[in-house]
Amino acid sequence: MKWHCVINNWTKNFHPAYFAMVMATGIVSLAFDAMNFTGIARALSVLNLFFYLTLSVSLLMRMLFFLPDLIADFKIFKRSLLFLTFVIGTNTVGMQLLIFHQAVPLAILLWFVALAAWFIFGYFILCNLIALHEKFLSEIASGSTLLITVSTVSIPLLGISLLNAMNMPSGFAYLTAIGFWFMGLISYAIIISLLFYNLYLCKFDPEKWDAPYWICMGAAAIITLAGSRFVMYTPFTPTWEVLREAVLWITIVAWMIGTLWIPYLLFMDIQKFTHTGTSASAPLWVIAFPWLRLAFGRTHRAYDPVSWSRVFPMGMYTASLVALTHATKYEFLALISQYWGWFALCIWFLTLVGMLRALISFIRQYRF
């Protein structure tokens, strides 16, 4: 009966942000495969398939047994945004199936699932935005709002890879993919302008800083990755040359914007983790490497489900660097990816430990 209560409560209160774990693990896996660390990449890929199946079953069970609670989440703007992690996670798993197992039919199926979910969740998000008409857009914008950009760009990212795997030179399909890419680009420009206003031109309370703000960099990184793949995979014909050149330069600018965000994001993370909320200074181990708080300590542990939103941008930046290296032949980018990739893997591991400790605490409250 106790296990029944655990499963029942887990399903009823299932946090949609947990699909960010699938996003994070999947992209770190793909990044390490691109860096030729095949063993690490495949191990993470197997683990991620387990995560995805477990979380998908949890979401399906919530849909079947707790539909009113699920619909209530859809009607809350900030909560509805988090469901877009399912879209991104599904496309990420599709990329893994394509690259590691050449499972084209399964990847196509996941792409259609992600596309359908993107339309469904997008409808609720749009309805919520209309309902919030009395609030300023600058008050609505947060790091999680950029999931709109990331989910939109994840559609052509897997789509272009599928077109290349199937050797389909269809001009219409590539134009549709680049159309989604431009939609994501426009949404990024709008949302990041509002976020820039909130963070730099208004009085931003550091206490409100959280992991989803890392998507300021991660959204630019996925634009870079998708743009690089478009440059590499589109047919090399004079018809495509002008568009390919334009996409390449926009991609380079997107990478530069994402890179410029990194010092600020690191600084704010350090500020958050080294601030204890009391007059006492942070322990030495926290000062030495602040992200240790994600996994360790009793009073100082800082893990929560949205912590995975920090890992995905780090992994995405690594993968985008490798792809941009192939698209531009700038070899120095590959060197940067080697160092940043290991940092991303370290943060992934600390976040995983924090999640496991949180899961154990959740189960222990039922006094097994």
Side-chain angles (χ1 to χ4, degrees), residues 63-324:
M63 190 182 303
L64 292 174
F65 301 111
F66 302 102
L67 187 59
D69 295 275
L70 185 65
I71 297 297
D73 278 353
F74 286 155
K75 293 180 179 179
I76 302 171
F77 176 69
K78 290 186 177 180
R79 193 81 169 179
S80 64
L81 286 172
L82 298 178
F83 284 94
L84 291 175
T85 58
F86 172 77
V87 177
I88 307 160
T90 300
N91 281 321
T92 306
V93 171
M95 290 285 292
Q96 289 183 297
L97 290 172
L98 192 61
I99 291 173
F100 294 119
H101 306 287
Q102 292 74 52
V104 176
L106 271 177
I108 292 173
L109 175 62
L110 289 182
W111 184 83
F112 276 110
V113 169
L115 182 64
W118 182 82
F119 277 109
I120 293 169
F121 300 150
Y123 167 78
F124 283 102
I125 291 168
L126 183 60
C127 290
N128 290 330
L129 272 173
I130 294 171
L132 292 171
H133 62 89
E134 293 181 358
K135 292 189 176 182
F136 293 105
L137 284 177
S138 58
E139 296 178 15
I140 298 168
S142 65
S144 299
T145 314
L146 282 167
L147 288 171
I148 295 171
T149 297
V150 179
S151 62
T152 303
V153 179
S154 73
I155 300 293
L157 179 58
L158 177 56
I160 291 170
S161 299
L162 284 169
L163 290 172
N164 179 67
M166 294 184 293
N167 293 316
M168 288 182 61
S170 169
F172 177 76
Y174 278 104
L175 281 176
T176 303
I178 205 62
F180 268 91
W181 185 78
F182 273 112
M183 282 172 57
L185 186 66
I186 293 167
S187 70
Y188 181 74
I190 295 170
I191 298 168
I192 207 67
S193 300
L194 298 173
L195 277 172
F196 187 87
Y197 176 79
N198 282 352
L199 294 173
Y200 291 100
L201 302 180
C202 292
K203 269 193 172 182
F204 179 73
D205 184 2
E207 293 295 324
K208 294 181 179 179
W209 177 262
D210 211 345
Y213 281 102
W214 273 87
I215 309 176
C216 293
M217 179 269 282
I222 194 172
I223 289 170
T224 302
L225 179 58
S228 299
R229 287 186 176 271
F230 180 82
V231 170
M232 290 187 289
Y233 294 158
T234 46
F236 286 90
T237 62
T239 307
W240 288 97
E241 192 58 37
V242 175
L243 182 57
R244 184 188 293 109
E245 191 72 16
V247 169
L248 177 60
W249 282 108
I250 294 171
T251 298
I252 293 172
V253 171
W255 167 73
M256 293 172 65
I257 291 171
T259 303
L260 289 173
W261 274 103
I262 292 177
Y264 176 76
L265 298 171
L266 291 172
F267 173 77
M268 292 300 290
D269 255 13
I270 292 169
Q271 287 284 95
K272 176 184 175 65
F273 290 133
T274 53
H275 180 65
T276 61
T278 64
S279 57
S281 59
L284 185 59
W285 60 272
V286 172
I287 296 172
F289 194 74
W291 293 275
L292 287 171
R293 281 190 62 185
L294 290 166
F296 304 112
R298 289 178 180 269
T299 58
H300 297 287
R301 189 157 56 91
Y303 169 82
D304 60 10
V306 296
S307 296
W308 289 105
S309 301
R310 176 184 293 104
V311 185
F312 174 77
M314 292 180 177
M316 181 57 72
Y317 187 75
T318 307
S320 68
L321 279 172
V322 178
L324 192 59

